[in-house]
Amino acid sequence: MAAAAGGAGAGDAALAAAVRDFVAGQQDGRAAEVAAGVKDGGWTVLQLVEALGSSLENTDPRTRGRGIQLLSQTLLQCYSLLQEKEVLHLVLFYENRLQDHHVVIPSVLQGLRALSMCEVLPAGLAVSVLKAIFQEVHVQSLLQLDRHTVYSIITNFMGTREEELKGLGADFTFGFIQVMDGEKDPRNLLVAFQIVRDLIAKNYALGPFVEELFEVTSCYFPIDFTPPPNDPHGIQREDLILSLRAVLASTPQFAEFLLPLLIEKMDSDLQNAKLDSLQTLTACCAIYGQKELQEFLPSLWSSLRREVFQTASEKIEAECLTALHALSACLSRSVLSSDTEDLLDSFLGSILEDCRHHLCEPDMKLVWPSAKLLQAAAGASLRAYHHITHSVLPLLLEQYTKHPQSSQRRTILEMLLGFLELQQKWGHVEEDESTLLLLRAPVCSVVFSALTDPSVQLQLVGIRALVVLGSLQGFLSPSDLELVVDHLIRLSLREEDSQSSEAAMEAAASLAPNYPKVFSGRMVPRLEEELQSEPEEGSSHDHCSLRQRCLQALAAVSTHTSIVRETLPVLLQHLQKVQKGSKAGSAQEMVSVCQSLHRVALQCQQDAEGCWYCHQTVVPCLLAMAVQAAVQESTHPLPGKALLEEEVLAAMVPVISAATTHLSPELAAQSVSHVVPLFLDGEVSFLPQNSFPCSFQPFAAGEFLEAQRRVVILLMAFVCSLPRNVAIPQQERLLRELLALSCSCNCPFTATTAAKCFAGLVNKHPAGQQLDEILQLAVNRMEPGLAEGLRRTQALTLLLWVTKALVLRYHPLSSRLTDKLLALLGDTELGPAAADGFSLLMAESPDVLHKGCHADVRIMFRQRFFTENVPKLVQGFHGAGPDVKANYLKGLSHVLNHLPKPVLVTELPTLLSLLLEALSCSDRVVQLSTLSCLQPLLLEAPQIMSLHVDTLVTKFLSLTSSPTMAVRIAALRCAHALTSLPLTVLLPYRARVIRALAKPLDDKKRLVRKEAVAARGEWFLLGSPGR
C-alpha cells in the first residue's frame, strides 16, 4: 500500500513538474510528454485538470492561456479515451472560458475542436457549443489558424450531429453567416465554401437568410487570387473558383440574386470575369427550371449574342455556346402545364429572329457566329432541334440554290452539315416530327451536286455530308444508296485531286459497315472490273494510277466481314496476275497490292471471324506464291521474277504479321502446325495450287537454293507474330537451322532475315536449359565469325539481333553480348557498323521484337541499358585511338537519342561535353543523331544548355552549311530551339545569328528554306514586347 501510494505520489509530482515547466517555464516540448502519459494510462485527464488547477484560476490571462493550451493539446491527442461525464464537464468548462480574455480564446477553441471529435459527446452539447461560439466569439478578429479551428468545429458537428444542428433552424445558418462574413484567407475559404455546400445539400433551414448566405459567398465572385511564389499550401486559383462555383450553383434559391450578377460580370471588360460567369451559368442550368430563368432570359440571350458576335477570344465564344446549349437544355427539361407559357419556344424564337437572316449572307462575318448559336441551341434536345431545323434547313437549301459561287455554297453546305451532325445524336430519324425527312430529296440533291462541283473544297464538304446522311438510320432510300456508291466510286477513281479521292475512300470505309450488301454488290464488282481492264494505247501511266486507286479503294471498303470475303480474293487474284505478267514496274504494283492487303488485315483484327478468314485466306496464298516463284527460280532461273525482289518480300511481312497477331491461341496453333513443317520438311499439302516442279528446301545446302532461302522472311513474319503461349513444333531444330543460315548465307538479305527470325524466337523462348544451350551455340558460332573471315558482317548482324532480343527481356547474357559489341567499336572495319547497331538496340523494330507481335519487352529497358552501358561508352571514348573515337560518339549519340527525355535531362550535365564534341565529328549520321538529341533538350533544360550557348551557336551555324539536307534542316531546328534559352544569354548573339541565317534562306531545297525562315523569324523577335 505504501509502495503504491509512493508510486502515485511520484507520478503526481512528475505531472506537476511537467505542468509547471510548460506553464511557467515556457517549455513547449513538455506538452507531448503529458499527452503521451495520459494516452499510456499513466495519468488521467482528471489528474491533469487538478494539476492545472492553480494555472487555470490564475489572475494573469497569459498563465491561464498556457494552462488551457496544455489541456487542449492533450485532449487533441487523447479525445477518444474520454468518458461521457468527462466530456460534459470539459465542454461546460470550455464554454465558460469563451468569455475569458482574448489571449485565452485560441486555446479554448483548440479544446473545443478536440471535444467536437468525441463520439461520446452527450446530446445537446453540439448546439450548446456552437451557440456559445456564435454569441461570445468575434471570429473574424481571430488569427487565420484560429478561424480555421472554428470552421473545423462546425464541420465536425455537421458530420456527426446533423439532426441536432437542424433543430436550431435558421439560427444555425445565421450564426455561420456571422462567422464567415469578411473571411479573406484562401485556406479558410475552401473550408467555408464546403460548409455552405453542405448546408444546402443536406437541407439545413436557410429561413429568411437566403440572400444573406448568397451575399456572404458571392462577394468573392469572380475569384481574383494569385498564389504567392513557393506557396507551401498549394492552393490554386482554380481550386477556389471551382469551390465557389459549386456553392453558387448548388440551389435554385440563389437564382434571383445570382443571375443579375452573372449578367453584370458577362458585360465587364475582364476576360476572366466573363469566362467564370459563363461557366457558372452553365453549371446553374443543370439545376434551374423555367421559373428561375424566365425573368432573365432576354438579358442572358442579349449578353451571349453580343459576346459571340463581337468577341475575338475563341475561349469566350466556346463558353458562350456551351452556356446557350445549357440554357436550351434546361428549358427543354421543364414539364409544361396547360396554363404556362412554353419558354423554350419563345427563347428559340428570339434566337431565330436575331440569327436567321444572317444565314442569307454567306460572305458576311456574322454568318458563322449565327450558325454556331443556332446549332448550340438546337443540339440541346430533340424538341429544340426540331424547332430550329424547321425554320433553318429550308432556308439553307434555298440559299444554296440562290448562290452559284463555290465558296458561298461551301459555307452554306458546312452550316447545313453542322445541323445534320446534330441529328446523329438521336440516331433514327422520327417519321412524324422530322423536318429532315420531309426535306430528304432537296438535301440529297444539294449534297450530290456538291460532289460533282469542280471545287475540291466543296467536294470535301459534300463527302463529309454524305457520311453523316449515311449514318442516319432509315434516311437514305435504296436508290439514294446506289447513287451514293456511284459517286464514291467516281470520286475514288476518277477525281484528279488526291484529297477528294482519299476522302471518298475514307467515306466508303465509314459507310460500308452500315450497308455491306450495297457496297459488296455494287462497289466491289466495279472496282474489280476497273482493276482487270487493259490500258488503252498511250495511257499506261494513267492506267497505273487508276489501278493504284482501285487497290486503295478495295482495302478502304473492307470494313465488314461480308465485304472482306469479296475483296480479299480480288486482291489476291490481282497479285497472282501481276506475278505471272512480270512486266516493268510490276514489283511496285505488287508492293501496292501488299499495302492494300495489310490494311485489310488490320481492319479485320477486331473481329474474330474476319481475322481467321483473313489469315487462312491470305497467309497460305502468299506462301504458295512465294514458294512457287522460289522453286521455279531454283529449277529455271528467270530474270525479273518480281515476287522474289527484296521490296516485295518485305511488303508481304506486315501483311502476314497483321493477319497473325490477333489469332486465338487455338487457331494460331492450328496454323503453325502447317507453316513450320513447310519450311523444315517441304510439306506443301496445305498450300493452294501445290504442284511444284521440285521440293521446297530453304534450309538445305546448295547454290541453286538461294531463291528459296529468301522466302524465310515470310516464316519470320509468321512465327515472330504468334502469341507467346503458342507452342512451335520442332522449335529447337528450327532455331539451329536459322542460326546456321544466318552465319553461312552469302546473301545479306537472307542472313539478316534468319538472324531476326532467330532473335524473335529466342526472345519468346521460355527460360531454362534449352534456351541456355541454344544461346551458347549461337555465341560459339558468332565468336569465330567476328574474329576473322569473309562473313564478319553477318556475324555482327546476328550479334546485334540476339543482343536486342535478350536486352528486351532482361536476360543475364545480354550484358556479355553488349560488352562484345562495345569491344567492336574499336575495330576499324566493323566499328562504324557496330556503332550504328546501338540505334537498332534502342529503337522500336517495325517487324519483329515489338509489343504488337507479343515480344517479351520489359518496362524501362532503355533506361537500364543506358545505366549499364553509357559509362562504358564514355570510358571507351576517352581510351580510344583518334581513328575510332567517332564510333564511340556515334554509339553514345544513338543511345541518348532514343532515351526518354526526362531521364536524359537528369544526366545532361555529365554528357553534354561529349554531345558537343559529337557535333564536330565528320560522320553525318553522328551529326544528325546528336542534333535530334539536342533539340528537345534546348526546350526542356534551358538553364543547363545556356551555360554552353557560345559553343552551341557556333556548331549549329556551321552545320547549316552541311552538304547533307537532313543535317541542315536539323541544325536550323536547333538554331530555332535556341530561342527558348533565357533572353539575356541570347541577345549578344542575335545579330550574328540573323546574319548567318540569311544564307540558308536561298538554299536550293524548299524544306531547308522553310526551316530557315521560321528560325530567323524567331531570332528577329527576340526581346520584342509581348514575346
Side-chain angles (χ1 to χ4, degrees):
M1 291 284 289
D12 290 345
L15 178 58
V19 168
R20 189 169 54 251
D21 289 343
F22 183 88
V23 175
Q26 302 291 315
Q27 295 180 25
D28 289 346
R30 300 289 278 184
E33 295 175 25
V34 173
V38 174
K39 221 172 186 179
D40 297 341
W43 304 308
T44 63
V45 174
L46 179 61
Q47 286 175 303
L48 174 59
V49 172
E50 288 171 349
L52 283 167
S54 59
S55 304
L56 300 177
E57 294 168 357
N58 197 294
T59 55
D60 180 17
R62 285 180 176 76
T63 303
R64 292 200 302 279
R66 289 292 286 181
I68 294 173
Q69 184 182 349
L70 178 58
L71 177 60
S72 296
Q73 287 186 9
T74 304
L75 290 177
L76 282 168
Q77 298 294 318
C78 311
Y79 63 85
S80 59
L81 305 175
L82 294 172
Q83 303 296 319
E84 185 175 332
K85 190 174 284 189
E86 291 174 319
V87 172
L88 173 63
H89 290 301
L90 285 167
V91 166
L92 294 174
F93 165 73
Y94 274 112
E95 281 183 11
N96 180 265
R97 290 297 174 159
L98 284 172
Q99 301 171 14
D100 206 333
H101 193 276
H102 67 85
V103 173
V104 179
I105 299 300
S107 299
V108 176
L109 291 172
Q110 288 293 350
L112 287 171
R113 181 164 78 90
L115 294 170
S116 72
M117 293 185 278
C118 287
E119 292 180 10
V120 294
L121 184 78
L125 285 191
V127 170
S128 174
V129 168
L130 289 180
K131 275 185 173 179
I133 291 174
F134 293 159
Q135 289 169 12
E136 305 297 343
V137 183
H138 184 242
V139 176
Q140 288 306 316
S141 65
L142 301 174
L143 295 175
Q144 179 272 327
L145 182 61
D146 302 324
R147 300 199 304 276
H148 195 279
T149 303
V150 175
Y151 295 128
S152 298
I153 294 168
I154 295 172
T155 301
N156 292 340
F157 283 146
M158 287 179 75
T160 58
R161 308 284 162 161
E162 183 178 327
E163 292 307 317
E164 289 180 35
L165 300 191
K166 283 182 176 177
L168 273 172
D171 289 347
F172 175 58
T173 303
F174 181 67
F176 173 72
I177 290 169
Q178 288 181 306
V179 167
M180 183 184 172
D181 193 11
E183 182 59 68
K184 290 184 175 62
D185 191 277
R187 291 164 288 182
N188 291 349
L189 282 173
L190 285 177
V191 184
F193 290 155
Q194 182 60 54
I195 292 172
V196 179
R197 290 213 298 278
D198 289 343
L199 277 173
I200 294 164
K202 296 179 179 177
N203 295 315
Y204 282 79
L206 305 185
F209 304 116
V210 173
E211 186 171 1
E212 284 77 4
L213 187 61
F214 173 77
E215 292 296 340
V216 85
T217 50
S218 65
C219 62
Y220 302 101
F221 182 86
I223 294 288
D224 182 21
F225 168 68
T226 305
N230 305 317
D231 178 23
H233 308 292
I235 295 175
Q236 299 297 315
R237 179 171 172 272
E238 192 65 19
D239 300 329
L240 290 165
I241 287 173
L242 294 175
S243 189
L244 175 56
R245 185 176 301 150
V247 170
L248 297 177
S250 61
T251 173
Q253 294 180 75
F254 284 166
E256 61 179 303
F257 316 115
L258 177 59
L259 290 173
L261 175 65
L262 294 180
I263 292 167
E264 177 195 332
K265 298 301 179 185
M266 270 192 255
D267 297 344
S268 77
D269 295 329
L270 297 173
Q271 178 160 326
N272 283 340
K274 287 179 190 286
L275 286 172
D276 205 351
S277 301
L278 291 164
Q279 289 164 353
T280 304
L281 175 60
T282 301
C284 289
C285 287
I287 61 159
Y288 285 4
Q290 288 203 13
K291 185 178 73 171
E292 287 77 25
L293 291 172
Q294 183 167 10
E295 182 187 343
F296 304 99
L297 280 174
S299 300
L300 288 168
W301 163 238
S302 175
S303 296
L304 293 171
R305 181 192 63 212
R306 186 188 62 253
E307 288 303 325
V308 174
F309 279 179
Q310 296 179 5
T311 187
S313 164
E314 288 183 13
K315 264 188 182 177
I316 288 180
E317 182 189 87
E319 291 299 341
C320 282
L321 296 174
T322 304
L324 181 60
H325 182 279
L327 279 170
S328 182
C330 176
L331 296 174
S332 301
R333 279 195 308 271
S334 300
V335 178
L336 295 175
S337 59
S338 56
D339 58 343
T340 57
E341 180 192 357
D342 185 356
L343 282 183
L344 178 65
D345 274 359
S346 57
F347 182 61
L348 296 178
S350 302
I351 298 173
L352 283 165
E353 185 183 339
D354 291 340
C355 297
R356 189 176 182 274
H357 61 280
H358 291 302
L359 303 184
C360 303
E361 303 162 342
D363 292 330
M364 306 303 282
K365 73 173 207 173
L366 290 182
V367 65
W368 269 116
S370 298
K372 288 176 183 176
L373 286 165
L374 287 165
Q375 286 165 8
S381 70
L382 194 55
R383 194 152 66 96
Y385 179 77
H386 286 320
H387 186 113
I388 286 180
T389 54
H390 181 73
S391 173
V392 170
L393 289 188
L395 176 69
L396 289 174
L397 294 169
E398 179 191 332
Q399 293 302 313
Y400 186 91
T401 311
K402 273 188 180 178
H403 292 84
Q405 288 184 19
S406 295
S407 59
Q408 296 171 327
R409 286 190 161 190
R410 177 188 165 198
T411 301
I412 295 164
L413 188 55
E414 281 186 326
M415 291 189 285
L416 181 64
L417 175 60
F419 288 102
L420 294 177
E421 286 171 338
L422 291 176
Q423 177 70 57
Q424 285 180 301
K425 290 171 62 174
W426 294 285
H428 189 72
V429 185
E430 296 293 334
E431 293 280 348
D432 51 346
E433 292 186 62
S434 176
T435 306
L436 198 54
L437 264 186
L438 298 173
L439 298 170
R440 177 181 5 219
V443 167
C444 288
S445 173
V446 161
V447 172
F448 292 153
S449 78
L451 298 177
T452 55
D453 195 274
S455 164
V456 172
Q457 296 307 314
L458 182 52
Q459 283 179 17
L460 292 173
V461 181
I463 291 168
R464 284 165 52 206
L466 202 61
V467 172
V468 175
L469 292 180
S471 69
L472 298 176
Q473 188 183 351
F475 184 79
L476 293 173
S477 67
S479 59
D480 287 336
L481 273 173
E482 290 182 359
L483 202 52
V484 166
V485 173
D486 291 343
H487 277 297
L488 291 177
I489 294 169
R490 178 184 57 78
L491 288 166
S492 298
L493 303 184
R494 306 294 176 186
E495 181 56 48
E496 288 182 17
D497 189 89
S498 61
Q499 273 184 290
S500 292
S501 174
E502 289 167 15
M505 290 181 201
E506 294 311 314
S510 298
L511 294 174
N514 298 339
Y515 311 101
K517 286 184 179 177
V518 181
F519 277 87
S520 59
R522 193 171 184 88
M523 189 170 191
V524 176
R526 286 276 300 278
L527 293 173
E528 182 181 8
E529 184 186 322
E530 293 284 359
L531 197 59
Q532 292 175 350
S533 64
E534 294 299 323
E536 296 173 12
E537 230 176 287
S539 64
S540 59
H541 176 74
D542 292 342
H543 190 71
C544 183
S545 172
L546 177 65
R547 282 206 305 269
Q548 177 79 11
R549 286 192 176 184
C550 282
L551 294 171
Q552 291 171 346
L554 281 166
V557 80
S558 303
T559 48
H560 189 276
T561 304
S562 65
I563 303 175
V564 171
R565 291 179 183 276
E566 304 290 333
T567 55
L568 270 185
V570 174
L571 289 168
L572 292 170
Q573 283 166 17
H574 185 66
L575 187 62
Q576 290 167 337
K577 178 183 172 186
V578 176
Q579 180 200 5
K580 287 171 185 170
S582 289
K583 296 174 184 173
S586 58
Q588 186 53 51
E589 188 160 358
M590 285 185 174
V591 170
S592 297
V593 179
C594 289
Q595 287 168 346
S596 292
L597 288 169
H598 181 224
R599 176 168 179 177
V600 176
L602 289 173
Q603 288 166 181
C604 289
Q605 286 180 344
Q606 304 311 315
D607 174 59
E609 181 194 345
C611 185
W612 177 233
Y613 172 77
C614 178
H615 179 84
Q616 62 181 169
T617 306
V618 170
V619 174
C621 183
L622 292 183
L623 287 173
M625 290 172 65
V627 169
Q628 176 84 35
V631 168
Q632 286 179 349
E633 183 79 6
S634 303
T635 53
H636 302 96
L638 295 169
K641 264 293 173 192
L643 191 73
L644 297 176
E645 289 185 21
E646 289 180 16
E647 60 175 328
V648 178
L649 288 170
M652 289 184 179
V653 169
V655 181
I656 293 175
S657 182
T660 305
T661 51
H662 284 61
L663 288 181
S664 67
E666 298 77 23
L667 294 175
Q670 184 181 325
S671 191
V672 77
S673 66
H674 297 303
V675 176
V676 172
L678 166 68
F679 283 85
L680 288 179
D681 305 315
E683 180 54 62
V684 297
S685 58
F686 82 102
L687 296 178
Q689 302 166 359
N690 52 24
S691 57
F692 303 124
C694 70
S695 60
F696 180 59
Q697 299 174 304
F699 293 117
E703 56 182 293
F704 295 115
L705 298 175
E706 185 53 53
Q708 295 190 19
R709 294 190 192 110
R710 296 164 79 83
V711 183
V712 169
I713 193 170
L714 303 187
L715 171 69
M716 175 200 80
F718 175 76
V719 294
C720 292
S721 301
L722 293 169
R724 260 184 276 173
N725 56 353
V726 174
I728 296 173
Q730 307 181 68
Q731 184 168 12
E732 306 312 311
R733 178 186 164 197
L734 178 60
L735 284 166
R736 289 170 190 273
E737 295 284 15
L738 288 167
L739 182 59
L741 184 60
S742 68
C743 295
S744 61
C745 182
N746 293 321
C747 172
F749 175 79
T750 304
T752 302
T753 297
K756 287 164 75 172
C757 190
F758 179 82
L761 292 174
V762 161
N763 173 264
K764 297 181 190 177
H765 199 295
Q769 186 180 351
Q770 284 186 328
L771 177 62
D772 295 340
E773 287 174 3
I774 201 73
L775 287 174
Q776 189 56 52
L777 185 62
V779 171
N780 294 343
R781 293 293 294 265
M782 280 189 283
E783 285 180 337
L786 288 168
E788 57 186 359
L790 299 173
R791 295 199 174 91
R792 295 187 75 200
T793 306
Q794 280 98 318
L796 174 61
T797 301
L798 180 62
L799 171 64
L800 285 169
W801 282 104
V802 174
T803 304
K804 182 178 179 73
L806 300 183
V807 163
L808 291 178
R809 64 179 282 179
Y810 289 178
H811 192 279
L813 185 61
S814 62
S815 300
R816 182 177 151 197
L817 296 184
T818 308
D819 288 342
K820 287 184 185 297
L821 193 57
L822 287 164
L824 287 172
L825 292 174
D827 187 296
T828 50
E829 181 190 348
L830 290 182
D836 282 330
F838 280 90
S839 176
L840 186 150
L841 294 182
M842 298 294 282
E844 185 87 0
S845 174
D847 44 10
V848 295
L849 296 177
H850 61 87
K851 285 185 179 177
C853 64
H854 311 290
D856 187 355
V857 181
R858 300 298 174 89
I859 191 169
M860 300 204 308
F861 77 89
R862 291 184 179 90
Q863 289 89 318
R864 178 170 172 167
F865 187 87
F866 170 86
T867 306
E868 290 178 355
N869 296 294
V870 164
K872 297 176 185 176
L873 276 168
V874 173
Q875 185 182 350
F877 169 80
H878 290 306
D883 55 336
V884 293
K885 271 186 181 289
N887 297 336
Y888 289 91
L889 285 176
K890 186 190 283 191
L892 176 67
S893 181
H894 284 315
V895 173
L896 299 183
N897 202 25
H898 290 96
L899 198 66
K901 293 304 175 270
V903 179
L904 185 51
V905 167
T906 60
E907 303 291 337
L908 190 57
T910 56
L911 296 172
L912 190 53
S913 58
L914 277 176
L915 284 172
L916 295 175
E917 191 162 344
L919 289 177
S920 303
C921 178
S922 58
D923 189 309
R924 305 297 178 215
V925 177
V926 178
Q927 291 173 355
L928 190 58
S929 182
T930 308
L931 289 168
S932 303
C933 186
L934 286 172
Q935 185 194 350
L937 293 176
L938 288 164
L939 304 173
E940 293 174 32
Q943 298 303 325
I944 300 170
M945 301 299 276
S946 60
L947 301 174
H948 301 269
V949 66
D950 190 68
T951 309
L952 290 167
V953 168
T954 305
K955 303 273 190 192
F956 293 159
L957 294 181
S958 167
L959 290 172
T960 58
S961 304
S962 165
T964 308
M965 183 183 83
V967 173
R968 297 200 300 277
I969 289 173
L972 287 165
R973 285 177 179 163
C974 286
H976 190 166
L978 275 173
T979 57
S980 63
L981 301 188
L983 183 62
T984 50
V985 174
L986 295 177
L987 282 177
Y989 301 93
R990 184 172 177 269
R992 174 186 164 192
V993 173
I994 290 171
R995 276 197 310 274
L997 292 180
K999 183 183 175 187
L1001 290 176
D1002 294 325
D1003 196 279
K1004 60 185 177 182
K1005 294 292 186 182
R1006 182 184 62 83
L1007 293 175
V1008 177
R1009 297 196 298 273
K1010 179 183 170 186
E1011 295 295 341
V1013 168
R1016 197 163 185 255
E1018 280 298 310
W1019 278 90
F1020 262 118
L1021 291 172
L1022 276 181
S1024 59
R1027 186 182 179 279

